Amino acid sequence: QVQLVESGGGLVQPGGSLRLSCAASGSIFSIIDMGWFRQAPGNQRELVATITGGDTTNYADSVKGRFTISRDNAKNTLFLQMNSLKPEETAVYYCNADLISKLGYRSVYWGQGTQVTVSS
């Protein structure tokens, strides 16, 4: 079994910063890719950023230059540093991982999400 647990969300003022974390645990053999998605009320879930096992990163155009995705491979932890946050970026942020378990199965896992609210 594999679990992804997000943390670090909360209330922040416009222009402020937050760092989200996602801890992956369980029967993990190899992580292929990890990423962050977000979903605001009434909207579809959208890709924010991804990072491969080789540390190649990809960002949505709307967050380039402000957000940074990174990972600590030793701890199987994913991070998203978010700077200069905007009110329209209020959403639930979800961590996901494309990985191979120790039983040899490739699956995509999702965390439960962490709420980010950008407001004065």
Side-chain angles (χ1 to χ4, degrees), residues 5-22:
V5 180
E6 301 100 333
S7 62
L11 176 64
V12 64
Q13 295 191 27
S17 299
L18 283 175
R19 189 180 76 157
L20 305 183
S21 299
C22 172

Side-chain angles (χ1 to χ4, degrees), residues 6 12-13 22 24 26 32 42 46 54 60 71 76-77 88 94-96 100 103 118 120:
E6 301 100 333
V12 64
Q13 295 191 27
C22 172
I32 299 170
E46 65 176 349
R71 61 193 295 178
N76 284 334
T77 302
E88 58 265 37
Y94 297 91
C95 171
N96 91 316
I100 299 172
L103 293 177
V118 185
S120 298

Side-chain angles (χ1 to χ4, degrees), residues 13-114:
Q13 295 191 27
S17 299
L18 283 175
R19 189 180 76 157
L20 305 183
S21 299
C22 172
S25 62
S27 186
I28 300 169
F29 175 75
S30 179
I31 296 176
I32 299 170
D33 300 286
M34 297 188 78
W36 290 97
F37 291 72
R38 65 188 178 192
Q39 187 168 22
N43 291 354
Q44 293 186 322
R45 189 172 298 186
E46 65 176 349
L47 176 68
V48 177
T50 60
I51 185 167
T52 69
D55 288 335
T56 299
T57 58
N58 184 58
Y59 298 91
D61 288 341
S62 62
V63 307
K64 287 181 179 177
R66 297 186 297 114
F67 289 14
T68 302
I69 188 170
S70 61
R71 61 193 295 178
D72 183 338
N73 292 330
K75 298 180 179 180
N76 284 334
T77 302
L78 179 72
F79 302 97
L80 183 67
Q81 178 66 45
M82 305 185 294
N83 298 327
S84 301
L85 282 160
K86 305 173 182 180
E88 58 265 37
E89 292 175 315
T90 293
V92 177
Y93 284 69
Y94 297 91
C95 171
N96 91 316
D98 182 0
L99 58 82
I100 299 172
S101 74
K102 290 181 178 179
L103 293 177
Y105 298 104
R106 180 177 179 178
S107 301
V108 176
Y109 292 86
W110 291 88
Q112 293 297 306
T114 184

